[in-house]
Amino acid sequence: MARNKEKLVLLLDVGPSMHGVLPEIEKICSMLVEKKLIFSKYDEVGVVAFGTEETNNDLTTEVGGYENITVLQDIKVVDGDLIDTLQNLPRGTLDGDFLDAIVVGMDMLIKKYKDIFKGKKRLCLITNAIHPIKDSLEGSKEDQVTTIAEQMTAQGMKMESIVVRGRLSQDADKRIMDENDNLLSIFSKKTRTRNVYVGSPTSLLGALKTRRLTPVTIFRGHLELSPQMKIKVWVYKKTQEEKFPTLKKYSEKAPVTDKFATHQVKVDYEYKSVGESSTTVIPPEQRIKGYRYGPQVVPISTAEWDAVKYKPEKGVKLLAFTDASKIKRHCFMKDVCLFIAEPGNTRATVAVSAIARAMKETNTVAILRCVWRQGQQNVVVGVLTPNISQNDKIPNSFYFNVLPFAEDVREYQFPSFNSFPASWKPNEQQQKAADELVQMLDLAPSGKEETLLPEFTPNPVLERFYRHLELRAKQPDAAVPPLDETLKKITGPDPELVSENKSVFDALHRHFELKPNPKLKKSSRQFYREKQFGSNALESDGQAVKSIENQLPVKMEKIGDLTPVQDFEAMMSQRDNPEWVGKAVKEMRDKILALVIHSNEGENYHKVVECIAALRKGCIIEQEPGPYNDLMRQLRQYCQGKGIESLPQLLASRDLTLISKSEAEDSDVTYEEARSFFVKMEQKNPMD
Amino acid sequence: MDLDPEDVFKDEEDDPDNEFFQQSEGSKEYVVYLVDASPKMFKTTSPGKDQKDETHFHVAVSCIAESLKTQIISRSYDEVAICFFNTREKKNLQDLNGVFVYNVAEREQLDRPTARLIKEFGCIEETFMKEIGSQYGIVPGSRENSLYNALWVAQALLRKGSIKTAEKRIVLFTNEDDPFGGLQDAAKKDMTRTTLQRAKDAQDLGISIQLLPLSCPDSEFNVSVFFSDLIGLEGQDLAQFTPSASQKLEDMKDQLRKRIFPKRIVRKIRFHIANGLSIELDTYAIIRPALPGEITWLDSVTNHPLKIERSLICEDTGALIQEHPKLFQPYRNENVKFSPDEIADIKRISPGLLCLLGFKPLSCLKDYYNLRPSTFLYPSDQEVVGSTSVFIALHRSMLRLKRFAVAFFGAVSHPQLVALVAQDEVTSAGAQVEPPGMHMIYLPYSDDIRDEEEIFPDTADDAPRADEDQIQKAAALIKRIYLKDYSNHQFANPALQRHYAVLQALALEEDDIPEIIDETAPDEGGLARSAVVKAIEEFKLSVYGDNYDEESNNLGKEKAAEASRKRKAVAEDAAKGFDWVSLADKGQLNNLTVAALKNYLTAHNLPVGGKKEALIGRILSHMGK
């Protein structure tokens, strides 16, 4: 719908001090557009770069000033070109002025939409804000910003500013940074602006929400403290997993020439009687659900269920308050909900605020029983915890987590750690080494940015998917790339942090020794695991790193296409399990048949003959003539059917006939029979 | 597609690892219930639930019946046999006197409980005297020993299955504390000796014998007369026996209907702490939403089970697709194709590996960092010796320093950032309440977290906040509605309990569905206490003033009413644009858009739901055509 379209202008600082993070900015912005291309195709996006050598914008031509700001892309509906633009941002040469850029962006939005659209106009500023903005001609910088902010509110625009700081801007002038931060904070006070500070490329990737979702309430109604006292609340989801996109199945059946083919696949389910060979499909109305009761299955129709099911009334009711320590964190069952007072309802907001503050002060939580919708067939019991907002603009609210029912908890018993033998328990030095590790490998050092904050951590799988999707659109045969360095910070330890704490890790290695259990019997499973545990380097991207075990001769588990004869011989010589021989013979047999059947004009026959020779030799050594002879008979029949003469001739010339009794005891073929195997065939042929 | 039968109970995002598993036959239990059926069991009574006197026989039989009803749901693979002794008739393989093994058709003597068993056993008291009969089996002058015979029969029944894979148990119900009391010295001595020997033989075979004595109000069951020797009680256990036994009897009756899952390792994973230091961990699913159980589709005519065949059909040609099709995503006006392997490659990040990234204080673990039920981690030295000691060292440090670990877990389908929270062992009255180990909590990513609380602030004003007085009043309220000993999982799921109750009623062809108590209903009596009401009223007054009722009744409705009026006016305007009658006459309604049709419906106060055909049908019927 038109009114749901978002109009977004990206304001990107490309000045010299930003060059280090521009690759990440390119990635996050193109991800934003990629998702829009899939999920909201009609959104419109414009791109402004500031700090560029050139100047190109409307305002500079109209009123002058606003130098070094380039409109890379006027506002238009998202398309593939936009991604190309964003993936090749210019590297600027000057320190940009973010306030000028904001004005240019606002001007673009105003000109394009005048005042036809009230909502969904958004600016997104990415800068490090370490360079001073120009002094204004009249009034102080604060006044200037305030005026702009008021204008922004009047035009119904929102802004999101992502300020790249921390390690990425270490030598910047503190005074200027403070001034700029102050200016930016005016925006967040006066307008609907979200200011976000990020300190690492990884968190920059997570700082911008790349997918816009319309918030939907799951419940609007009363939070009932008692029948006499109810507070109006709205309930939203606070967390909900963004799923990997569900891809459609692709059908290649349609002819290439058919331009209108959808290539879609329909998944069809058919219900048939078990055991009967009949293929009658049971229609839906004749099906009934059966529920297990002991060894029996009890059929119960949907109508019957509906008549007797548990049907609670819609409503959210307080059961009790209790001490926060009674609720274990690990009992939270699902994604989290947010309870806010009905918007615009002052007294409900005050009531929620009062209870939230009181809960915080007394360290209590509330237990609720919720039925979100009428007709819902179960109840949810969960815990309400206070969320005290630090921002004056944002009302206090609650978080709601679902708690388990008695049936959901499996009461498994585990041995107490105290009951373990002393050798399993850490000694004093070991404990000290562990303490050091827990203390020093710190992701949230005081005074510094907390790393891997979930709010700023992108999903590496989705990042990889969308990047790969874009790549695939251009190069249909591109391989799946490994994770880049920025994303590896999420999936593995930060090398910087590790090297800073080298002594801690050294101590850990000194005090703890791990070794494979010698008592355990060697099995294939053990082999696999040992390989994994023996590895010293961290394995990533699904590629196993070299290990001691890997240097041993590799086990042959399959006969490949390249060197079937060698593979077969290697497999036959694996003596650790008698099954290998049978497997090798079978694999080889399949390979030969495949080669023969797929042979075009006899091009593979040479290979086939080599394989047959190897198989024959192997079968004689193992004294297993059966499979070989069966195969040969099968081959002869095949050749006769197809009228192929070259192959039997080749085989006869190499003397690759049946294995006779003289070669292997178990054979049921006499010497004469073997000799005449191909002769017979030749005689038969002319008669056809 | 209605393939998913448990949709009612299933969350939208059930664990994708599918840790839900079928109950295996791995650790079964074989139980033989031995019920004394002597005339004494029928004569003596004790006050029952509703103050009516019940015979001991009734108590024992109803206890078994209740227990069976629970068992068929919670551990339906366990096998049971029911055996009476001191009976008039006899029925057992050894053809011993005074012992009657009860059974129903289509069932072995020791077998899984069936609906039929439960149903017929439920009314055994009506037919018992006629078909089985009661009579003392141990009488002076006779060499018969019915208790000995009963133990022998029970032991023979339990011969089935290996002691390694199954737990075997005899549960003995009796109210006779001195079975050989009526005999003369020599005979008594002899019978006592042989009976005890029989019991000992059974115990040597790995069969445990449990005694559930029934006491009369006037004379307490004295376990030390005979049975303490039979079940091997000594010292302190002996003193505590009677109270704990009566508790057990109660427990058997009031068990929660809940499917029991045997403890099972979900997955073995590697925990990478530092280069060259990877320990071995086992993961367990301790908390998972309980589902009512497997569903089988049946043919409603024959009641035969159905199999489901899935086939892929090409929409363009209608041809069947045999191989695994490629997947595609429409993008930039074309279809970008991936093979299933490539998708798996994209999702694969360090599979099976839990990689430590660092530590944070527990205060950094916000309440809203949650997506799914947590997974429990416990160390194992099975393959890597030394794992446990590393784990315990970290566990202790994390508990002491109040920190949690952040790690990346490369689950095959779902690689995710996780928080590892150390949990110290908690025991209560000798039982483990919380096992020692770590809980793995799945953390959201930035795109999984929403900022809905930030949507609404009006730019001009600050959000309203409560003042001190209001907070004080709220605190007073909290104090009044305070539950001191809430346990994490004290409520049974009413929907699930109802499900089992309905299933039982239908399976046993009972007329009434047993009532279940909804434990989650608020305590209305408690909330109506004057102190509570007073606290609530005070809080209400401090926040809402005197006009609470007005507000709650009017505010929302007015707005809604206004909006709907507006919508209707718009629809009426739009609907005027067409000559509906002539369109309907010409059969051209189908040419209009759904939106236009809905305008007509809204303007005439008709429901606007349904497909286009339904809308047209509704319009036509409104016009009277």
Side-chain angles (χ1 to χ4, degrees), chain A residues 625-626 629-630 633 658-662 664-671 673-674:
Chain A
N629 285 349
D630 290 347
R633 292 193 179 107
L658 296 179
I659 299 174
S660 69
K661 241 187 162 59
S662 57
E665 198 55 45
D666 290 348
S667 173
D668 52 5
V669 181
T670 60
Y671 181 70
E673 241 183 293

PDB file of all heavy atoms in Angstrom, chain A residues 625-626 629-630 633 658-662 664-671 673-674:
ATOM      1  N   PRO A 625      33.768 -65.189  -6.907  1.00  0.00           N
ATOM      2  CA  PRO A 625      33.472 -65.077  -8.338  1.00  0.00           C
ATOM      3  C   PRO A 625      32.043 -64.632  -8.640  1.00  0.00           C
ATOM      4  O   PRO A 625      31.770 -64.109  -9.718  1.00  0.00           O
ATOM      5  CB  PRO A 625      33.710 -66.496  -8.846  1.00  0.00           C
ATOM      6  CG  PRO A 625      33.429 -67.379  -7.668  1.00  0.00           C
ATOM      7  CD  PRO A 625      33.792 -66.603  -6.441  1.00  0.00           C
ATOM      8  N   GLY A 626      31.127 -64.841  -7.706  1.00  0.00           N
ATOM      9  CA  GLY A 626      29.694 -64.619  -7.954  1.00  0.00           C
ATOM     10  C   GLY A 626      29.378 -63.263  -8.556  1.00  0.00           C
ATOM     11  O   GLY A 626      28.831 -63.165  -9.666  1.00  0.00           O
ATOM     12  N   ASN A 629      30.783 -62.703 -12.137  1.00  0.00           N
ATOM     13  CA  ASN A 629      30.136 -63.478 -13.184  1.00  0.00           C
ATOM     14  C   ASN A 629      28.729 -62.957 -13.477  1.00  0.00           C
ATOM     15  O   ASN A 629      28.313 -62.868 -14.630  1.00  0.00           O
ATOM     16  CB  ASN A 629      30.072 -64.954 -12.797  1.00  0.00           C
ATOM     17  CG  ASN A 629      31.451 -65.608 -12.934  1.00  0.00           C
ATOM     18  OD1 ASN A 629      32.369 -65.012 -13.507  1.00  0.00           O
ATOM     19  ND2 ASN A 629      31.593 -66.815 -12.400  1.00  0.00           N
ATOM     20  N   ASP A 630      28.015 -62.583 -12.403  1.00  0.00           N
ATOM     21  CA  ASP A 630      26.675 -62.037 -12.604  1.00  0.00           C
ATOM     22  C   ASP A 630      26.741 -60.782 -13.453  1.00  0.00           C
ATOM     23  O   ASP A 630      25.925 -60.575 -14.356  1.00  0.00           O
ATOM     24  CB  ASP A 630      26.028 -61.697 -11.257  1.00  0.00           C
ATOM     25  CG  ASP A 630      25.676 -62.956 -10.490  1.00  0.00           C
ATOM     26  OD1 ASP A 630      25.714 -64.043 -11.113  1.00  0.00           O
ATOM     27  OD2 ASP A 630      25.373 -62.854  -9.285  1.00  0.00           O
ATOM     28  N   ARG A 633      27.399 -61.561 -17.126  1.00  0.00           N
ATOM     29  CA  ARG A 633      26.219 -62.062 -17.826  1.00  0.00           C
ATOM     30  C   ARG A 633      25.257 -60.918 -18.140  1.00  0.00           C
ATOM     31  O   ARG A 633      24.687 -60.839 -19.232  1.00  0.00           O
ATOM     32  CB  ARG A 633      25.508 -63.107 -16.961  1.00  0.00           C
ATOM     33  CG  ARG A 633      26.343 -64.373 -16.808  1.00  0.00           C
ATOM     34  CD  ARG A 633      25.527 -65.520 -16.239  1.00  0.00           C
ATOM     35  NE  ARG A 633      26.364 -66.703 -16.132  1.00  0.00           N
ATOM     36  CZ  ARG A 633      26.808 -67.183 -14.965  1.00  0.00           C
ATOM     37  NH1 ARG A 633      26.473 -66.588 -13.827  1.00  0.00           N
ATOM     38  NH2 ARG A 633      27.579 -68.261 -14.935  1.00  0.00           N
ATOM     39  N   LEU A 658      34.344 -65.065 -18.054  1.00  0.00           N
ATOM     40  CA  LEU A 658      33.852 -65.464 -16.733  1.00  0.00           C
ATOM     41  C   LEU A 658      34.978 -66.067 -15.908  1.00  0.00           C
ATOM     42  O   LEU A 658      35.957 -66.576 -16.439  1.00  0.00           O
ATOM     43  CB  LEU A 658      32.729 -66.497 -16.880  1.00  0.00           C
ATOM     44  CG  LEU A 658      31.447 -66.050 -17.571  1.00  0.00           C
ATOM     45  CD1 LEU A 658      30.474 -67.229 -17.639  1.00  0.00           C
ATOM     46  CD2 LEU A 658      30.811 -64.879 -16.862  1.00  0.00           C
ATOM     47  N   ILE A 659      34.828 -66.001 -14.593  1.00  0.00           N
ATOM     48  CA  ILE A 659      35.798 -66.667 -13.715  1.00  0.00           C
ATOM     49  C   ILE A 659      35.373 -68.126 -13.612  1.00  0.00           C
ATOM     50  O   ILE A 659      34.238 -68.414 -13.210  1.00  0.00           O
ATOM     51  CB  ILE A 659      35.813 -66.020 -12.319  1.00  0.00           C
ATOM     52  CG1 ILE A 659      36.220 -64.543 -12.428  1.00  0.00           C
ATOM     53  CG2 ILE A 659      36.749 -66.771 -11.390  1.00  0.00           C
ATOM     54  CD1 ILE A 659      36.136 -63.781 -11.128  1.00  0.00           C
ATOM     55  N   SER A 660      36.257 -69.010 -13.979  1.00  0.00           N
ATOM     56  CA  SER A 660      35.874 -70.427 -13.984  1.00  0.00           C
ATOM     57  C   SER A 660      36.279 -71.095 -12.682  1.00  0.00           C
ATOM     58  O   SER A 660      36.920 -70.497 -11.824  1.00  0.00           O
ATOM     59  CB  SER A 660      36.553 -71.128 -15.161  1.00  0.00           C
ATOM     60  OG  SER A 660      37.939 -71.170 -14.893  1.00  0.00           O
ATOM     61  N   LYS A 661      35.864 -72.345 -12.530  1.00  0.00           N
ATOM     62  CA  LYS A 661      36.119 -73.130 -11.323  1.00  0.00           C
ATOM     63  C   LYS A 661      37.613 -73.242 -11.038  1.00  0.00           C
ATOM     64  O   LYS A 661      38.031 -73.310  -9.880  1.00  0.00           O
ATOM     65  CB  LYS A 661      35.529 -74.532 -11.493  1.00  0.00           C
ATOM     66  CG  LYS A 661      34.472 -74.822 -10.455  1.00  0.00           C
ATOM     67  CD  LYS A 661      34.013 -76.262 -10.525  1.00  0.00           C
ATOM     68  CE  LYS A 661      33.307 -76.657  -9.246  1.00  0.00           C
ATOM     69  NZ  LYS A 661      32.128 -75.818  -8.942  1.00  0.00           N
ATOM     70  N   SER A 662      38.394 -73.256 -12.108  1.00  0.00           N
ATOM     71  CA  SER A 662      39.836 -73.431 -11.902  1.00  0.00           C
ATOM     72  C   SER A 662      40.467 -72.196 -11.255  1.00  0.00           C
ATOM     73  O   SER A 662      41.498 -72.272 -10.615  1.00  0.00           O
ATOM     74  CB  SER A 662      40.522 -73.716 -13.246  1.00  0.00           C
ATOM     75  OG  SER A 662      40.226 -72.648 -14.133  1.00  0.00           O
ATOM     76  N   ALA A 664      38.529 -69.859  -9.254  1.00  0.00           N
ATOM     77  CA  ALA A 664      37.939 -69.676  -7.930  1.00  0.00           C
ATOM     78  C   ALA A 664      37.044 -70.856  -7.623  1.00  0.00           C
ATOM     79  O   ALA A 664      36.211 -71.239  -8.442  1.00  0.00           O
ATOM     80  CB  ALA A 664      37.123 -68.392  -7.893  1.00  0.00           C
ATOM     81  N   GLU A 665      37.237 -71.419  -6.454  1.00  0.00           N
ATOM     82  CA  GLU A 665      36.587 -72.655  -6.063  1.00  0.00           C
ATOM     83  C   GLU A 665      35.052 -72.552  -6.150  1.00  0.00           C
ATOM     84  O   GLU A 665      34.380 -73.464  -6.587  1.00  0.00           O
ATOM     85  CB  GLU A 665      37.026 -73.001  -4.634  1.00  0.00           C
ATOM     86  CG  GLU A 665      36.807 -74.441  -4.212  1.00  0.00           C
ATOM     87  CD  GLU A 665      37.454 -75.445  -5.160  1.00  0.00           C
ATOM     88  OE1 GLU A 665      38.612 -75.240  -5.543  1.00  0.00           O
ATOM     89  OE2 GLU A 665      36.770 -76.414  -5.522  1.00  0.00           O
ATOM     90  N   ASP A 666      34.531 -71.369  -5.741  1.00  0.00           N
ATOM     91  CA  ASP A 666      33.083 -71.233  -5.612  1.00  0.00           C
ATOM     92  C   ASP A 666      32.376 -71.041  -6.951  1.00  0.00           C
ATOM     93  O   ASP A 666      31.144 -71.017  -6.998  1.00  0.00           O
ATOM     94  CB  ASP A 666      32.747 -70.019  -4.727  1.00  0.00           C
ATOM     95  CG  ASP A 666      33.122 -70.302  -3.284  1.00  0.00           C
ATOM     96  OD1 ASP A 666      33.396 -71.482  -2.989  1.00  0.00           O
ATOM     97  OD2 ASP A 666      33.151 -69.362  -2.473  1.00  0.00           O
ATOM     98  N   SER A 667      33.101 -70.903  -8.007  1.00  0.00           N
ATOM     99  CA  SER A 667      32.467 -70.605  -9.288  1.00  0.00           C
ATOM    100  C   SER A 667      31.679 -71.802  -9.791  1.00  0.00           C
ATOM    101  O   SER A 667      32.061 -72.956  -9.594  1.00  0.00           O
ATOM    102  CB  SER A 667      33.532 -70.224 -10.304  1.00  0.00           C
ATOM    103  OG  SER A 667      32.933 -70.085 -11.574  1.00  0.00           O
ATOM    104  N   ASP A 668      30.565 -71.511 -10.447  1.00  0.00           N
ATOM    105  CA  ASP A 668      29.773 -72.594 -11.023  1.00  0.00           C
ATOM    106  C   ASP A 668      30.004 -72.684 -12.533  1.00  0.00           C
ATOM    107  O   ASP A 668      29.217 -73.270 -13.256  1.00  0.00           O
ATOM    108  CB  ASP A 668      28.293 -72.382 -10.705  1.00  0.00           C
ATOM    109  CG  ASP A 668      27.836 -70.991 -11.096  1.00  0.00           C
ATOM    110  OD1 ASP A 668      28.641 -70.234 -11.697  1.00  0.00           O
ATOM    111  OD2 ASP A 668      26.681 -70.651 -10.813  1.00  0.00           O
ATOM    112  N   VAL A 669      31.067 -72.052 -12.965  1.00  0.00           N
ATOM    113  CA  VAL A 669      31.345 -72.009 -14.404  1.00  0.00           C
ATOM    114  C   VAL A 669      32.523 -72.931 -14.718  1.00  0.00           C
ATOM    115  O   VAL A 669      33.558 -72.870 -14.045  1.00  0.00           O
ATOM    116  CB  VAL A 669      31.692 -70.560 -14.826  1.00  0.00           C
ATOM    117  CG1 VAL A 669      31.967 -70.509 -16.321  1.00  0.00           C
ATOM    118  CG2 VAL A 669      30.561 -69.618 -14.441  1.00  0.00           C
ATOM    119  N   THR A 670      32.347 -73.758 -15.683  1.00  0.00           N
ATOM    120  CA  THR A 670      33.467 -74.628 -16.069  1.00  0.00           C
ATOM    121  C   THR A 670      34.419 -73.859 -16.967  1.00  0.00           C
ATOM    122  O   THR A 670      34.083 -72.774 -17.458  1.00  0.00           O
ATOM    123  CB  THR A 670      32.960 -75.863 -16.839  1.00  0.00           C
ATOM    124  OG1 THR A 670      32.281 -75.373 -17.996  1.00  0.00           O
ATOM    125  CG2 THR A 670      32.015 -76.686 -15.989  1.00  0.00           C
ATOM    126  N   TYR A 671      35.580 -74.426 -17.175  1.00  0.00           N
ATOM    127  CA  TYR A 671      36.596 -73.778 -17.990  1.00  0.00           C
ATOM    128  C   TYR A 671      36.085 -73.562 -19.406  1.00  0.00           C
ATOM    129  O   TYR A 671      36.228 -72.490 -19.983  1.00  0.00           O
ATOM    130  CB  TYR A 671      37.869 -74.648 -17.985  1.00  0.00           C
ATOM    131  CG  TYR A 671      38.992 -74.039 -18.776  1.00  0.00           C
ATOM    132  CD1 TYR A 671      39.656 -72.880 -18.299  1.00  0.00           C
ATOM    133  CD2 TYR A 671      39.407 -74.593 -19.981  1.00  0.00           C
ATOM    134  CE1 TYR A 671      40.681 -72.323 -19.016  1.00  0.00           C
ATOM    135  CE2 TYR A 671      40.450 -74.029 -20.706  1.00  0.00           C
ATOM    136  CZ  TYR A 671      41.078 -72.888 -20.219  1.00  0.00           C
ATOM    137  OH  TYR A 671      42.096 -72.321 -20.928  1.00  0.00           O
ATOM    138  N   GLU A 673      32.989 -73.407 -20.458  1.00  0.00           N
ATOM    139  CA  GLU A 673      31.923 -72.402 -20.489  1.00  0.00           C
ATOM    140  C   GLU A 673      32.526 -71.004 -20.542  1.00  0.00           C
ATOM    141  O   GLU A 673      32.072 -70.139 -21.288  1.00  0.00           O
ATOM    142  CB  GLU A 673      31.080 -72.535 -19.214  1.00  0.00           C
ATOM    143  CG  GLU A 673      29.629 -72.861 -19.477  1.00  0.00           C
ATOM    144  CD  GLU A 673      28.856 -72.895 -18.173  1.00  0.00           C
ATOM    145  OE1 GLU A 673      29.119 -73.800 -17.357  1.00  0.00           O
ATOM    146  OE2 GLU A 673      28.026 -72.007 -17.951  1.00  0.00           O
ATOM    147  N   ALA A 674      33.540 -70.814 -19.724  1.00  0.00           N
ATOM    148  CA  ALA A 674      34.186 -69.512 -19.668  1.00  0.00           C
ATOM    149  C   ALA A 674      34.812 -69.166 -21.011  1.00  0.00           C
ATOM    150  O   ALA A 674      34.675 -68.059 -21.518  1.00  0.00           O
ATOM    151  CB  ALA A 674      35.255 -69.515 -18.571  1.00  0.00           C
TER     152      ALA A 674
END
